[in-house]
Amino acid sequence: QVQLAESGGGLVQPGDSLRLSCAASGRTTINSATGWFRQTPGKEREFVAAIRRNGGSTHYADSVRGRFTISRDGAKNTVDLQMNSLKPEDSAIYYCALGNGIILSSIRNKVAYSYWGQGTQVTVSS
């Protein structure tokens, strides 16, 4: 069993930066992947970014590429999401997710992830 805990959400102004962190505990496999997803009321949970444990390849949604950076700290067993140049449309609840044995073609698909955190609110508003 894997437990995930997100931290770092908050209220910021457009153009500001915010860093989210996902701490994982429990057993994960070498071919696991950790992703960040976000959701707003009435909408589907959407993919934001993901990183593979084996090789460290990163993957981004087009809407955040160039502004967000996902990274992994193996010693701390955390995955961070650095969010720069935030826009009001980035406001959402952000969820950390982890899946063991995720193949590359499924890394953007939320159904491929077995474990989810409780979410952290990010609000971008002036």
Side-chain angles (χ1 to χ4, degrees):
Q1 191 71 7
V2 175
Q3 287 82 42
L4 302 174
E6 303 98 335
S7 61
L11 171 63
V12 296
Q13 295 187 341
D16 284 354
S17 297
L18 204 58
R19 190 175 185 92
L20 306 182
S21 186
C22 174
S25 59
R27 178 175 293 183
T28 60
T29 62
I30 190 65
N31 58 348
S32 65
T34 302
W36 285 96
F37 292 76
R38 65 187 182 188
Q39 189 170 22
T40 54
K43 289 191 175 183
E44 291 280 331
R45 192 169 296 188
E46 66 173 4
F47 171 78
V48 176
I51 186 167
R52 302 181 79 188
R53 180 179 175 184
N54 187 14
S57 65
T58 56
H59 310 267
Y60 297 96
D62 289 342
S63 59
V64 306
R65 185 175 289 110
R67 298 188 299 122
F68 291 11
T69 302
I70 190 170
S71 61
R72 182 176 179 272
D73 187 327
K76 297 180 180 179
N77 208 18
T78 59
V79 171
D80 292 349
L81 184 68
Q82 177 67 41
M83 305 185 295
N84 298 329
S85 302
L86 283 162
K87 305 175 182 179
E89 51 263 44
D90 293 318
S91 298
I93 298 176
Y94 283 70
Y95 297 90
C96 174
L98 187 145
N100 288 317
I102 293 181
I103 60 175
L104 190 56
S105 60
S106 298
I107 202 164
R108 298 167 184 265
N109 192 339
K110 59 182 179 292
V111 301
Y113 293 80
S114 302
Y115 305 101
W116 292 84
Q118 292 299 309
T120 184
Q121 178 72 49
V122 172
T123 304
V124 185
S125 175
S126 56

